Amino acid sequence: MALPWLHDTEQRLAQSFRAQRFHHAQLFCGPIGVGKFALAEQLANSLLCHNMTQHLLATANSTLMPCGYCKSCALTLAGTHPDKRVTQVDGQSIGVDDIRAISDFMHHSAAQNGNKVVIIENCDKMTTAAANALLKTLEEPSNSRFLILTSSQVSQLPATILSRCAKTDVKVTQLDVAKQWLEALAIEDYAWLPLFYSQPLQVQQWQAQNQLQNIDSLYKFATEFKQSHNFTELVTIINKQPELIRIFTLFLSEQLKQQLLQGMSFDAYQAAQQALHDFLQNNTQILGLNLPLAVSRLAYTLRK
Ligand SMILES: [Zn+2]
């Protein structure tokens, strides 16, 4: 299913394809949960589809969409297309061996209609050696080889990689579209929901993982943080899912923005944002940090 807020982006990709301006290396940038990977999959499956090109040329305003019934589409639907390769890492880095395997894959002839497509999700996780190895592949473009990279931290990417890709900013341009999409998922109207209209798939994932209640608790902790002295439940939630510390600090940061609008001095605001930044850095980088202590210290700093 196509994601409605990506329609314009799909149109632009289709246009560049129709005009034969389509770059062999595509980089999709945007926040977590905006649908970069879904878009990369859709594009990859389209490039592999036997009918897509004719369809695209025959129908004005058509988007890049696989036909769904050709042999290639059957293979992508079954997850066994021999000309498609997806590299996804969970936490760890993308190493030089991963990139060498991709280069080998690209060099072999295609099994189906001639195109071969590689997706590298979160390509900012490449090590320096891996990025250097990928450069070689990027510098040898071929008509029938496509590389689709995604990243939510584009500032981490080497300039040499950036300059060799066609970059597309994937984003929710009309928040109403995302809002309606989330409403269709029957998600409760949480006060914090608008903060994630630009990351609808993140909210959908939380729903699937039964996390929405925890996120709501974090929001409530953030709104009462300065008055509160008991952090046990907060610490329990974060200890169970350390990645939620980013969400908690985001909520605190939003609180500070509100206070700035209500007359907090800019110096105090900046000092508080710095304290938040340090808290996040320390708790995502230093292992074994005493979280309860760090939380009460942060509350103390923000109270001042
Ligand atoms: Zn097809």
Side-chain angles (χ1 to χ4, degrees):
M1 185 199 63
L3 300 166
W5 59 89
L6 299 183
H7 185 72
D8 291 350
T9 310
E10 288 166 16
Q11 290 277 349
R12 274 195 298 278
L13 289 169
Q15 271 163 18
S16 75
F17 198 85
R18 214 180 276 128
Q20 302 193 319
R21 282 186 282 106
F22 195 74
H23 199 277
H24 72 108
Q26 298 283 332
L27 171 62
F28 294 162
C29 311
I32 294 170
V34 76
K36 301 180 296 296
F37 188 72
L39 187 64
E41 280 272 334
Q42 187 186 333
L43 177 59
N45 298 347
S46 300
L47 290 167
L48 293 169
C49 169
H50 293 305
N51 295 318
M52 193 279 292
T53 325
Q54 285 95 319
H55 173 68
L56 194 66
L57 295 174
T59 325
N61 294 325
S62 59
T63 56
L64 285 172
M65 193 60 94
C67 75
Y69 53 80
C70 71
K71 190 180 173 200
S72 238
C73 284
L75 288 167
T76 51
L77 283 170
T80 54
H81 202 300
D83 298 325
K84 179 181 173 186
R85 191 185 169 100
V86 179
T87 297
Q88 278 178 298
V89 295
D90 210 34
Q92 75 273 41
S93 56
I94 302 171
V96 69
D97 289 342
D98 296 311
I99 302 300
R100 286 201 185 115
I102 287 169
S103 305
D104 282 350
F105 172 82
M106 293 286 235
H107 275 111
H108 285 96
S109 52
Q112 288 291 315
N113 74 345
N115 285 343
K116 292 188 95 168
V117 189
V118 169
I119 299 175
I120 307 178
E121 192 190 31
N122 296 328
C123 65
D124 44 86
K125 288 189 175 167
M126 281 189 291
T127 62
T128 309
N132 286 335
L134 185 67
L135 272 185
K136 293 204 184 82
T137 306
L138 290 173
E139 281 162 354
E140 296 163 6
S142 146
N143 282 336
S144 52
R145 298 290 183 271
F146 298 94
L147 196 60
I148 309 169
L149 311 174
T150 77
S151 173
S152 52
Q153 288 181 298
V154 74
S155 62
Q156 309 275 321
L157 276 176
T160 45
I161 298 281
L162 272 173
S163 65
R164 284 166 180 81
C165 298
K167 184 167 164 267
T168 299
D169 287 313
V170 184
K171 58 189 168 196
V172 176
T173 43
Q174 290 162 296
L175 296 180
D176 268 1
V177 174
K179 184 173 182 254
Q180 281 163 19
W181 187 82
L182 285 170
E183 276 165 6
L185 296 180
I187 288 172
E188 206 180 305
D189 194 15
Y190 295 107
W192 47 266
L193 209 53
L195 290 174
F196 295 97
Y197 285 162
S198 54
Q199 301 170 270
L201 298 182
Q202 171 75 85
V203 180
Q204 187 191 34
Q205 192 187 13
W206 284 333
Q207 185 189 37
Q209 296 169 339
N210 284 324
Q211 286 283 358
L212 292 171
Q213 221 38 61
N214 276 343
I215 306 295
D216 198 45
S217 300
L218 290 182
Y219 181 74
K220 284 176 182 142
F221 275 115
T223 44
E224 295 155 13
F225 195 51
K226 284 199 202 170
Q227 292 83 44
S228 139
H229 291 275
N230 183 356
F231 305 114
T232 316
E233 196 195 331
L234 171 66
V235 167
T236 308
I237 293 175
I238 295 177
N239 266 335
K240 259 191 217 152
Q241 291 138 303
E243 72 278 4
L244 290 185
I245 201 160
R246 289 182 189 283
I247 306 301
F248 178 62
T249 43
L250 169 77
F251 288 153
L252 282 176
S253 172
E254 287 301 316
Q255 290 291 314
L256 290 173
K257 285 180 197 164
Q258 289 300 320
Q259 286 163 22
L260 181 67
L261 291 174
Q262 288 157 13
M264 181 188 205
S265 86
F266 192 67
D267 282 351
Y269 171 78
Q270 273 193 317
Q273 286 286 13
Q274 185 61 47
L276 268 190
H277 176 81
D278 294 346
F279 171 76
L280 185 61
Q281 287 282 313
N282 289 337
N283 286 284
T284 47
Q285 288 176 6
I286 303 170
L287 291 173
L289 192 102
N290 188 333
L291 186 63
L293 188 67
V295 169
S296 39
R297 243 188 230 149
L298 178 68
Y300 177 74
T301 313
L302 295 187
R303 242 172 256 147
K304 284 195 302 183

